Amino acid sequence: MPRIPDQLLNSIVYFYPNVEAAERGTPAGGTGFLVDFRSQSSEQEYRYVITNSHVIRSGGVFLRFNVVDGGTNVKEIPQSNWVHHYDSDDICAAILEKDAGWSATALQWDNIAATIPRMNELNMGVGDEVFMLGRFISHSGVQRNQPLARFGNIAMMPGERVLDGRQLRVEAFLVEMRSLAGFSGSPVFVYMGPGTYRGDGRMMPFYSETISLIGIDTGHKLLTSTVTDKATRTRVNDNWVVEQDTGISIVSPVWKIRQVLDDEDFVKQRKTSSHSS
């Protein structure tokens, strides 16, 4: 895995339940990332912040940004400003006005998003390297946002719907990710390096590499086990269970994010902002 571009790291923002929690760096909330997306109807570019619906619906509507001259700045985006995926997918986004004081760079959607035709062209699949960038709640930084990278591999491509932590069946990548919980809302990228095998007899050219956004982390697959007596192997109590982290991340695909950005509610917001300007 090569050095991760600074632009990707600088696109990360943190979510908190209130201003005080953001200023203290309290281990609550989640991760989000910034994207510049061009409207097909108006050809105008807008900036969005993207995260999981469960982060916003649990009250994490205060965003913490790094600022140019050091430290952080906190901004509230009310619940009413967020547009959620129309189906069961755990994705939402909000339009964000650009602020020159923030030390943040947005991902350029047209350049970074892995479209289905591009995935097919590269024959992206099981075993490809991935990484995600997000908030490590054990040390996310108090004075500055300091995103952490986690690394892994695609374990299963989207196909049959997967049962997520909300007990809903969703379309998703399953990713073997060396990670623990706490990265909700983190962007997930695939990396294809020079000379890597493409699974169909081809290799990436030795002068070429690609980093593409494939989706957003929504949580981990958990394994639920009953508590048993070690000696007799019998259940101690039918109501006692233990949840174990399998190390498998559930990643909603990038085309699901696109569906949110194309939502009719955003079309109305963009028209309103165009008329007001």
Side-chain angles (χ1 to χ4, degrees), residues 181-201:
F183 274 70
S184 291
S186 297
V188 181
F189 304 87
V190 66
Y191 172 73
M192 300 177 187
T196 52
Y197 179 55
R198 298 309 324 131
D200 57 2

Side-chain angles (χ1 to χ4, degrees), residues 7-261:
Q7 181 186 7
L8 304 189
L9 293 165
N10 292 338
S11 71
I12 304 301
V13 295
Y14 295 166
F15 287 79
Y16 295 89
N18 52 59
V19 173
E20 293 73 25
E23 291 174 345
R24 294 196 308 268
T26 302
T31 298
F33 58 101
L34 306 180
V35 163
D36 283 342
F37 177 80
R38 190 173 301 278
S39 165
Q40 287 187 320
S41 57
S42 68
E43 289 299 316
Q44 187 173 345
E45 187 176 80
Y46 297 86
R47 178 157 296 178
Y48 297 84
V49 58
I50 300 167
T51 188
N52 291 152
S53 289
H54 77 256
V55 171
I56 300 305
R57 286 173 171 153
S58 63
V61 295
F62 290 83
L63 286 69
R64 196 177 81 171
F65 296 84
N66 288 338
V67 294
V68 173
D69 56 357
T72 58
N73 176 254
V74 181
K75 177 181 177 61
E76 180 185 9
I77 300 183
Q79 295 250 4
S80 58
N81 288 25
W82 293 88
V83 173
H84 298 263
H85 194 276
Y86 61 84
D87 197 1
S88 57
D89 297 277
D90 195 3
I91 309 168
C92 65
I95 293 178
L96 183 70
E97 291 187 10
K98 300 178 183 179
D99 189 318
W102 292 336
S103 177
T105 53
L107 304 176
Q108 297 297 312
W109 180 268
D110 290 341
N111 297 331
I112 197 70
T115 62
I116 293 178
R118 180 60 173 161
M119 290 182 185
N120 292 336
E121 177 189 345
L122 295 170
N123 199 35
M124 195 180 85
V126 173
D128 276 326
E129 285 189 279
V130 296
F131 64 94
M132 69 179 177
L133 304 173
R135 181 176 164 210
F136 184 43
I137 59 174
S138 296
H139 179 71
S140 57
V142 175
Q143 298 178 340
R144 300 278 286 178
N145 294 350
Q146 192 172 0
L148 188 86
R150 290 284 195 177
F151 304 90
N153 301 85
I154 295 175
M156 191 178 78
M157 295 290 286
E160 184 176 345
R161 289 186 169 235
V162 174
L163 191 68
D164 70 3
R166 303 164 301 157
Q167 301 305 300
L168 297 175
R169 294 202 172 273
V170 296
E171 185 178 10
F173 292 91
L174 290 185
V175 172
E176 180 77 38
M177 184 67 73
R178 294 182 285 280
S179 174
L180 298 174
F183 274 70
S184 291
S186 297
V188 181
F189 304 87
V190 66
Y191 172 73
M192 300 177 187
T196 52
Y197 179 55
R198 298 309 324 131
D200 57 2
R202 294 180 298 153
M203 297 175 67
M204 287 288 288
F206 282 96
Y207 52 84
S208 174
E209 66 177 1
T210 184
I211 296 176
S212 299
L213 176 72
I214 64 166
I216 181 172
D217 179 64
T218 65
H220 279 64
K221 285 292 289 179
L222 299 176
L223 176 65
T224 302
S225 303
T226 57
V227 179
T228 59
D229 182 273
K230 186 175 181 180
T232 64
R233 301 292 183 182
T234 58
R235 291 186 180 183
V236 175
N237 187 311
D238 287 342
N239 296 321
W240 290 3
V241 296
V242 176
E243 287 188 336
Q244 298 171 295
D245 193 339
T246 63
I248 298 290
S249 291
I250 302 171
V251 178
S252 286
V254 69
W255 52 87
K256 294 291 188 176
I257 301 174
R258 175 65 187 259
Q259 289 170 356
V260 175
L261 299 181

